[in-house]
Amino acid sequence: MPAPVFGLAPPWLLSDRGAPVADALVLSHPEQFERLRLACPEAAPTAVLAGDPCFDRILAARPRRERFRRALGIRPGQRLVLLTSTWNSESLFGDGTEVPGDGWCGGDVVAALLDRVADEFPVDEYRFAAVLHPNIWHGHGPGQIRAWLDRARRGGMALIDPLTGWRQALLAADAVIGDHGSVTYYAAALGTPVLLGAVPLHALDPDAPISAFMREAPRLDPEASLAAQIDELIRCHRPLPGPAEFTTSVPGESAVRLRKLFYSMMGAPEPGRPATLEPLPLPGYEAGTVTVPLRVLTRVLGPGEIAVGRWTGARPGAGSDPAGELHIAVHEDTREVDRLELADVIFREGEPDDPRFGSPSVWTAEVLRRHRGCSLAAYVTGPSECVVRVRDEEPLRMVAVPDTETADVAGADPAAYASALHAWLATESPEAVTAHARLERAVTDGLVLRTGDRLHRVRVVPLSPSGSAY
């Protein structure tokens, strides 16, 4: 005998006496009524087609996608990949099994993914976030969840609130790695590229739309490059029609239909004002500061033009063949404090007038005195600028040049500017140009920083004795 369909079978819908436990059972699509009629005909008379208020709120918030992305610290050109897991053992975050015909279902998939994320994805081109089902948080406890994901979070991954933030993160995402949970299905309904990391078909109603989606959607290949799979997923994406069709048959109508239902059940007239849903709130800002040591690969492409890739893993650019020179950049607040003595670049962020650090000029001088192996210190003072000091030189201000087409100032992370400058000064020149001469050229001409396929122009400006730019 097949397992009962979750939510539509007698154990969930009927009392011990066989009577429906609900006066009204709200459905979002007529196909659910047909499955209800077959699975529990006694409850079918209580069914009401009223849409999906959760999805309606997501649809209404679509115009604010860029705000949600900025709230997560996503920079122009940066991709956000969302990991999402439902709560059972066969989920993306589950302990896992391998089911014949289904493929891999759970099984430390997230732990393996996070290691590969650190090695394969440069932090200036990709940002990751995780949405875990509330039952995962409840079952293991917030402390355990944060402990399991600690290094990933210090590597810049955002851990999304499972009740108040997941819809906004879903709208902000460029791609989703998920399982058979509702967040994955909502992502597909929005047209977002989805890669399935857990596919427990045996646990799903074979007639449910999500089963059809799980059979058709692309699956994660654990043996192949994850970065290549994400790039191909986004490049070749064609939305499957099923999720958008079956999530709700009456998009945008749930507020009107639900209020009408509730007031009719109370026997009261509806208010004269329109029925509305609460808009999705704008989350607080989460910068995604990376405090694990960064392995930085750089290539000088031409006079003052440097390609920069920064990774949080032990094998930067794993799965590809990146060329260039390697240096280490470390946040001053890193937990791996021993790496500060090996760092070529040490950086931090803060307000320029924070009295705890004296000033950016004072802090950079102090860092270079304390860490004799460090070549350059960078104090990030805002989303598009920083103050840097090269050893034995005066401090400089590096600031992004606004894009001429969009006037957008926010480019790469200013800490990447510092790595670009370090690479430019460290390059051996056949003309025997000194590092000081190269620094003067950077002040005169600026630098061009390349992250992935994006160019960022940066001005390099001397500071006055008071610490302000000339």
Side-chain angles (χ1 to χ4, degrees):
M1 178 178 292
V5 178
F6 182 82
L8 293 181
W12 288 278
L13 301 178
L14 303 180
S15 68
D16 293 340
R17 297 182 178 182
V21 296
D23 295 320
L25 181 62
V26 174
L27 305 179
S28 65
H29 196 282
E31 74 81 21
Q32 295 168 358
F33 176 78
E34 293 304 314
R35 289 193 292 126
L36 173 66
R37 186 177 58 81
L38 294 174
C40 186
E42 299 88 343
T46 69
V48 178
L49 182 65
D52 186 331
C54 177
F55 193 56
D56 281 355
R57 292 179 74 198
I58 295 173
L59 292 176
R62 263 182 156 173
R64 293 190 287 165
R65 179 176 187 265
E66 289 304 318
R67 292 186 189 177
F68 297 147
R69 287 174 64 83
R70 287 193 290 267
L72 284 168
I74 308 301
R75 294 178 174 273
Q78 197 174 31
R79 287 173 170 173
L80 173 63
V81 180
L82 191 68
L83 308 178
T84 177
S85 177
T86 191
W87 59 278
N88 62 32
S89 62
E90 295 169 336
S91 67
L92 193 70
F93 207 75
D95 55 19
T97 56
E98 185 157 9
V99 180
D102 281 6
W104 188 254
C105 300
D108 255 355
V109 175
V110 168
L113 283 178
L114 294 180
D115 287 341
R116 295 171 66 182
V117 164
D119 287 340
E120 294 187 34
F121 292 88
V123 299
D124 295 301
E125 298 173 48
Y126 290 88
R127 179 86 188 281
F128 281 76
V131 171
L132 305 180
H133 193 284
N135 283 357
I136 296 177
W137 289 86
H138 175 75
H140 297 291
Q144 182 63 75
I145 296 298
R146 292 191 175 95
W148 280 333
L149 299 179
D150 174 67
R151 193 183 192 281
R153 292 172 65 218
R154 291 187 287 116
M157 191 186 78
L159 189 53
I160 305 298
D161 187 288
L163 299 179
T164 63
W166 67 269
R167 301 170 187 86
Q168 297 90 324
L170 192 58
L171 282 166
D174 295 289
V176 170
I177 301 176
D179 53 21
H180 57 299
S182 58
V183 177
T184 306
Y185 200 71
Y186 278 137
L190 287 170
T192 304
V194 171
L195 189 65
L196 297 178
V199 191
L201 289 172
H202 69 283
L204 303 173
D205 176 2
D207 296 323
I210 192 170
S211 289
F213 167 68
M214 299 289 280
R215 288 191 294 268
E216 297 171 6
R219 300 188 185 187
L220 174 69
D221 181 352
E223 304 301 325
S225 162
L226 180 58
Q229 290 181 75
I230 292 295
D231 288 346
E232 182 179 8
L233 176 74
I234 295 174
R235 184 178 64 255
C236 302
H237 176 60
R238 297 291 184 273
L240 295 172
E245 177 184 353
F246 289 111
T247 296
T248 174
S249 61
V250 286
E253 297 183 25
S254 63
V256 172
R257 289 173 176 253
L258 286 171
R259 191 176 75 173
K260 181 178 181 179
L261 171 65
F262 298 153
Y263 275 86
S264 68
M265 294 176 69
M266 294 187 295
E270 287 190 71
R273 60 184 179 275
T276 58
L277 296 171
E278 186 75 20
L280 294 182
L282 183 64
Y285 179 67
E286 183 168 346
T289 301
V290 176
T291 61
V292 298
L294 286 161
R295 288 169 171 81
V296 186
L297 280 172
T298 60
R299 284 183 296 126
V300 175
L301 305 175
E305 182 175 345
I306 304 97
V308 176
R310 303 187 300 162
W311 286 265
T312 61
R315 300 183 304 134
S320 61
D321 184 24
E325 298 297 321
L326 177 69
H327 71 260
I328 305 298
V330 183
H331 194 287
E332 187 186 35
D333 291 340
T334 185
R335 188 177 299 175
E336 293 89 338
V337 293
D338 57 311
R339 301 308 298 275
L340 288 169
E341 298 310 315
L342 303 176
D344 301 287
V345 175
I346 295 175
F347 64 95
R348 74 162 305 110
E349 63 288 318
E351 296 296 328
D353 57 354
D354 190 329
R356 295 174 298 174
F357 303 111
S359 69
S361 180
V362 169
W363 178 86
T364 54
E366 179 184 282
V367 165
L368 293 177
R369 284 196 305 271
R370 181 180 302 160
H371 304 286
R372 302 304 301 176
C374 178
S375 299
L376 186 150
Y379 188 105
V380 177
T381 57
S384 59
E385 60 184 273
C386 63
V387 172
V388 301
R389 186 189 292 267
V390 178
R391 185 170 296 281
D392 301 323
E393 299 285 353
E394 294 300 313
L396 302 165
R397 178 172 173 256
M398 301 185 73
V399 58
V401 177
D403 186 280
T404 54
E405 295 182 1
T406 66
D408 195 343
V409 177
D413 178 358
Y417 307 169
S419 281
L421 180 60
H422 170 78
W424 172 241
L425 299 179
T427 302
E428 294 185 5
S429 170
E431 296 84 13
V433 178
T434 66
H436 180 78
R438 284 179 172 271
L439 186 62
E440 289 183 332
R441 181 168 184 172
V443 171
T444 302
D445 299 337
L447 294 177
V448 177
L449 169 66
R450 181 183 290 275
T451 57
D453 59 0
R454 291 183 67 87
L455 290 178
H456 314 273
R457 300 187 182 280
V458 181
R459 288 189 294 118
V460 183
V461 185
L463 294 187
S464 69
S466 65
S468 61
Y470 282 128

